[in-house]
């Protein structure tokens, strides 16, 4: 399976690490500059009127982000809060953010966003950005 091959390449020392090292250095420089721009006040973070929790991971797929998001949304609802979920809508065709309903088509909103809408009982929105 292709995913397991990539994971194997990622987790062991190989020629890939040597070849990708310049990209890692470039990424480090870019993130340092970005962090400096925020700290210097040149770029400003936008404050939202509600708390935000980001469920993410550097690993793509299979790490439990979707089940954790569903569980977290259910826990917040049980405590009287009104959570909403924003998803990238991976696999969906829409570039414009759109509401995801339990009867939405996975091809247009993405299968993960559809699963979140079906299992969380929370408002879900999906969009490429």
């Amino acid at each position: 399976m292709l995913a397991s091959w990539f994971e194997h390449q990622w987790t062991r020392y190989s020629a890939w690490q040597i070849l990708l090292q310049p990209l890692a250095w470039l990424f480090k420089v870019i993130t340092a500059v970005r962090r400096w721009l925020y700290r210097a006040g040149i770029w400003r973070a936008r404050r939202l009127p509600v708390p935000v929790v980001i469920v993410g991971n550097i690993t793509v797929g299979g790490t439990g982000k979707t089940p954790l998001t569903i569980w977290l949304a259910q826990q917040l609802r049980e405590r009287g809060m009104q959570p909403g979920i924003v998803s990238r809508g991976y696999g969906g065709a829409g570039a414009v953010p759109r509401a995801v309903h339990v009867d939405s088509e996975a091809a247009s909103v993405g299968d993960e966003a559809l699963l979140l809408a079906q299992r969380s009982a929370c408002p879900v929105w999906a969009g490429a950005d």
Side-chain angles (χ1 to χ4, degrees):
M1 185 177 222
L2 187 60
S4 61
W5 181 84
F6 277 117
E7 186 174 341
H8 179 70
Q9 297 302 315
W10 183 264
T11 58
R12 71 180 183 93
Y13 186 77
S14 67
W16 288 107
Q17 288 178 318
I18 296 167
L19 292 172
L20 294 174
Q21 190 62 49
L23 288 176
W25 292 328
L26 177 63
F27 182 78
K28 186 175 183 177
V29 168
I30 290 170
T31 56
V33 169
R34 183 178 183 268
R35 187 172 38 249
W36 179 84
L37 289 169
Y38 276 109
R39 288 185 177 163
I42 297 168
W43 285 0
R44 294 201 166 133
R46 182 180 302 170
R47 299 283 179 199
L48 298 175
V50 295
V52 175
V53 176
I54 298 172
V55 177
N57 197 326
I58 199 163
T59 304
V60 177
T63 57
K65 295 181 294 290
T66 301
L68 175 65
T69 301
I70 293 167
W71 176 84
L72 183 59
Q74 290 170 344
Q75 295 298 309
L76 293 170
R77 286 184 65 235
E78 287 176 11
R79 286 163 177 74
M81 297 179 199
Q82 299 174 346
I85 299 172
V86 177
S87 174
R88 219 179 128 255
Y90 182 76
V96 177
R98 64 177 73 184
V100 181
H101 305 286
V102 295
D103 59 347
S104 294
E105 291 189 27
S108 62
V109 297
D111 58 351
E112 181 183 48
L114 181 58
L115 179 66
L116 289 166
Q118 292 171 340
R119 301 264 175 96
S120 70
C122 294
V124 177
W125 281 74
D129 279 334

